Amino acid sequence: MRKSAFSLNPPLRRARGALQRAFHFICHSAGIFFSTGRYLQRAKRFLRNDRLAGKNAAYHMFAVMLLLNACSASRPLQEAASSQDELTRELARLRAVLKANPNAHEAVRDLGIVLYEMKEHKNAALVLEKALLDLPNDGLTRLALGMAYEQLRRWNDAIKLYRDDANVAEGEYRRQLRGRLELAIQAKLRAEARQALADEQTLAPSRVPANSIAVMKFQNLGSAPELAPMATGLADMVITDLSQVHSLTVIERSRIHALLEEMGLGQSGLVEENSAPRVGNLLGARKIVQGSFLEVKEKELRLDANLADAAVRTSKSAGKVSGALARFFRLEKDLVFKVIRALGIQPTEAEEQAILIIPTENLLAFLAYARGLEARDRGEYEIAEQEFQNAVKADVKFSRARAQLERTRSMRQTLATKNLPIRMSSFRPRLALQQRRMRLAQATMRANPGFSFVNQGRVSLLAPRLNNLPGANGNVRQPLLEGRSDFGLPGEIRIGIKLP
């Protein structure tokens, strides 16, 4: 029986093993995955093949050319930002277009986007404002202008722009507008909280409206961990119910959270009784509701509420209720009416009916909803989204949980898109990403002295030095796989093995 060349030549056998290791190392370390399984199987069969007749075929085996399905990783990749040179060239091209045709509205928009990417945010805003006059329903124009406003700290302008999206077609841009709206509101609230803390010495309690009220996170006095999310959920429900009373100005929960974050109290969300007047003054709230809950015995709950006055720095009990845990949602309504009476307000019949609406009677759905609020407060949007999904699954009629799910999903997806979603053909973001992959592959190859590397062109990533091998004809090219990458550009890995 004829022995294979590798069986007779240990150095070549070692070279084959090195090639196999290189194949697996690059495929897994550099994030290279083949989209067609038969190509991978062909490559593996080739690497295992001992019956390579002739010395010349053995040398050519070292020149295996693998198609780099260059940038199709196992998860979607963010488009890379264009280089400064590309932006400069695009800027010149757009100016030439506009010089020839001043009414090219999309070119005006693209010019503003280029200026934004070049961090000339003030000029970008001026150009995009002009573009918006001509393209009022264009989602990309509105999105780019809003992001320019954010960079300029013009939060109110950005929020107004994002909200006015009724005529923008449903799709990617409208989804991003909704997500950026939530993020811009958060940024504005944090900026206002920082400013309030900086101006604290000049904030007179007398400036605070007498009908303003804030509800702090409730305190869990019990030991049941499964009920801990009630602390946030209860505060959210009480805020919603008090907002039905038109004579009250209720501070939104997100504003309270932003201030507590700036004060270093964001993790607990709890405010000491003696600190309540200060927090109320910073929030612009005359009255502060502080509450607690306790599972007094199995399946029985007690809710308490105190009412603090930020102006006179006093605190009094607003009432307490207790009952079976199964009646939790009714207990919360009873507590809200006690707080309203403690404020000296007589709600109208319509206001009472609005307060009595129970968003869900499913305790598991409510607890999942509360966990979602807490996760989003921590910035854990994926966890928050999952919890809101759990709440909706537990109660499909829980509309408040469904609304929070959509808000959180928009925020998460928007945060995942770090750059403007530019769609101009003159940019080469994918080429820039491919070039980064080339540098990664280059570093990988140079880290192993058993391999050699030569860069041949901007598309081919790796190439062998095989022309000096005995028997090579000066132009060794024996591709194992052929095709194009998902970017429409041919990508190649060529591995050269140095003989021992």
Side-chain angles (χ1 to χ4, degrees):
M1 180 182 294
R2 180 183 175 182
K3 295 185 178 180
S4 69
F6 281 94
S7 298
L8 295 173
N9 194 330
L12 290 181
R13 187 167 58 250
R14 291 196 296 271
R16 183 190 63 171
L19 181 59
Q20 289 174 327
R21 290 192 295 274
F23 175 83
H24 292 292
F25 181 79
I26 292 178
C27 284
H28 295 284
S29 297
I32 299 163
F33 296 84
F34 290 91
S35 59
T36 307
R38 71 176 186 275
Y39 287 168
L40 183 59
Q41 293 304 317
R42 285 181 64 189
K44 288 183 176 179
R45 284 198 301 271
F46 186 89
L47 292 174
R48 289 197 300 263
N49 185 12
D50 280 352
R51 293 188 174 277
L52 296 176
K55 183 183 294 186
N56 193 52
Y59 285 139
H60 285 188
M61 182 256 191
F62 300 143
V64 174
M65 184 177 75
L66 302 175
L67 168 67
L68 174 60
N69 194 345
C71 302
S72 64
S74 58
R75 57 182 181 274
L77 296 172
Q78 182 64 39
E79 289 186 352
S82 299
S83 69
Q84 191 68 22
D85 290 342
E86 288 173 322
L87 290 170
T88 302
R89 288 194 296 271
E90 185 65 18
L91 187 66
R93 186 190 71 82
L94 290 169
R95 283 175 173 165
V97 170
L98 290 171
K99 185 177 180 180
N101 180 13
N103 295 322
H105 305 315
E106 291 188 356
V108 176
R109 176 200 65 195
D110 292 350
L111 178 63
I113 292 176
V114 171
L115 291 170
Y116 176 90
E117 292 292 337
M118 296 177 75
K119 303 190 184 306
E120 296 184 21
H121 301 123
K122 187 174 181 179
N123 291 333
L126 292 173
V127 173
L128 289 165
E129 284 171 349
K130 181 181 184 304
L132 188 64
L133 294 176
D134 299 314
L135 302 168
N137 300 330
D138 183 63
L140 179 54
T141 305
R142 191 172 293 273
L143 177 64
L145 179 55
M147 292 176 68
Y149 283 155
E150 289 185 57
Q151 294 296 326
L152 297 171
R153 303 295 189 266
R154 293 170 58 178
W155 305 116
N156 290 333
D157 291 333
I159 291 169
K160 182 177 183 299
L161 193 68
Y162 293 145
R163 278 182 173 152
D164 189 20
D165 67 347
N167 295 323
V168 177
E170 285 290 345
E172 172 69 11
Y173 294 136
R174 190 164 187 182
R175 178 190 63 75
Q176 290 218 31
L177 287 170
R178 292 167 180 165
R180 292 231 65 91
L181 172 62
E182 300 297 335
L183 296 172
I185 291 173
Q186 285 187 358
K188 177 192 174 184
L189 293 176
R190 288 194 299 269
E192 290 177 348
R194 287 192 294 270
Q195 190 62 45
L197 287 168
D199 298 340
E200 184 175 4
Q201 299 303 320
T202 63
L203 298 178
S206 58
R207 87 190 196 290
V208 179
N211 66 336
S212 54
I213 187 169
V215 181
M216 299 292 108
K217 183 178 178 179
F218 277 57
Q219 185 176 5
N220 180 11
L221 301 179
S223 57
E226 65 274 11
L227 298 182
M230 278 188 180
T232 300
L234 261 173
D236 181 76
M237 289 184 68
V238 173
I239 288 172
T240 301
D241 290 341
L242 290 178
S243 298
Q244 307 303 323
V245 181
H246 300 309
S247 60
L248 285 176
T249 299
V250 184
I251 307 299
E252 60 266 32
R253 198 184 72 86
S254 53
R255 183 178 296 275
I256 297 171
H257 175 70
L259 177 65
L260 297 182
E261 281 283 312
E262 293 299 323
M263 296 176 67
L265 301 174
Q267 290 295 326
S268 66
L270 299 176
V271 176
E272 298 293 336
E273 187 173 340
N274 57 0
S275 301
R278 180 195 176 204
V279 173
N281 192 37
L282 290 168
L283 288 170
R286 175 71 179 267
K287 305 290 186 181
I288 306 293
V289 177
Q290 294 176 286
S292 63
F293 63 95
L294 173 66
E295 190 177 21
V296 291
K297 55 185 179 180
E298 187 176 3
K299 304 300 182 183
E300 187 169 337
L301 197 67
R302 189 185 78 194
L303 308 179
D304 294 85
N306 287 339
L307 195 62
D309 191 307
V312 297
R313 294 181 174 271
T314 60
S315 179
K316 65 177 182 179
S317 173
K320 60 183 178 181
V321 296
S322 60
L325 183 61
R327 295 188 63 253
F328 165 74
F329 300 102
R330 306 292 175 181
L331 295 177
E332 184 271 337
K333 302 300 180 185
D334 293 342
L335 185 67
V336 168
F337 283 117
K338 287 181 179 290
V339 170
I340 293 173
R341 284 196 292 270
L343 292 169
I345 297 174
Q346 179 59 47
T348 65
E349 183 177 351
E351 290 171 343
E352 287 185 358
Q353 293 302 316
I355 292 172
L356 287 171
I357 294 175
I358 296 176
T360 181
E361 294 196 17
N362 187 317
L363 187 58
L364 293 178
F366 172 74
L367 291 174
Y369 170 80
R371 288 194 298 269
L373 293 177
E374 291 182 335
R376 195 172 65 191
D377 287 345
R378 296 191 302 267
E380 298 173 350
Y381 296 105
E382 290 187 8
I383 296 175
E385 185 178 340
Q386 184 60 53
E387 292 294 354
F388 290 134
Q389 284 179 338
N390 293 338
V392 172
K393 288 179 182 177
D395 183 358
V396 294
K397 297 181 179 180
F398 195 178
S399 59
R400 193 179 301 174
R402 191 178 299 278
Q404 294 290 1
L405 172 61
E406 294 302 321
R407 288 179 58 191
T408 305
R409 180 174 292 155
S410 294
M411 294 170 72
R412 179 185 61 77
Q413 293 174 344
T414 301
L415 284 171
T417 307
K418 300 185 183 302
N419 299 320
L420 272 171
I422 300 172
R423 296 290 183 263
M424 292 180 289
S425 60
S426 56
F427 283 122
R428 300 285 195 275
R430 293 183 173 183
L431 177 58
L433 182 59
Q434 197 176 47
Q435 289 169 342
R436 285 213 310 273
R437 283 300 182 93
M438 182 187 71
R439 291 193 292 271
L440 174 61
Q442 180 180 5
T444 302
M445 296 294 286
R446 287 180 172 171
N448 191 324
F451 303 114
S452 61
F453 170 83
V454 175
N455 177 25
Q456 293 185 344
R458 65 182 178 87
V459 175
S460 297
L461 299 187
L462 298 175
R465 287 176 178 165
L466 297 174
N467 292 329
N468 294 327
L469 288 175
N473 59 11
N475 185 26
V476 177
R477 289 179 58 88
Q478 291 193 1
L480 174 65
L481 308 176
E482 296 179 352
R484 299 181 73 84
S485 72
D486 62 345
F487 289 164
L489 297 173
E492 302 170 352
I493 288 183
R494 300 185 186 183
I495 303 174
I497 307 298
K498 291 182 180 179
L499 290 177

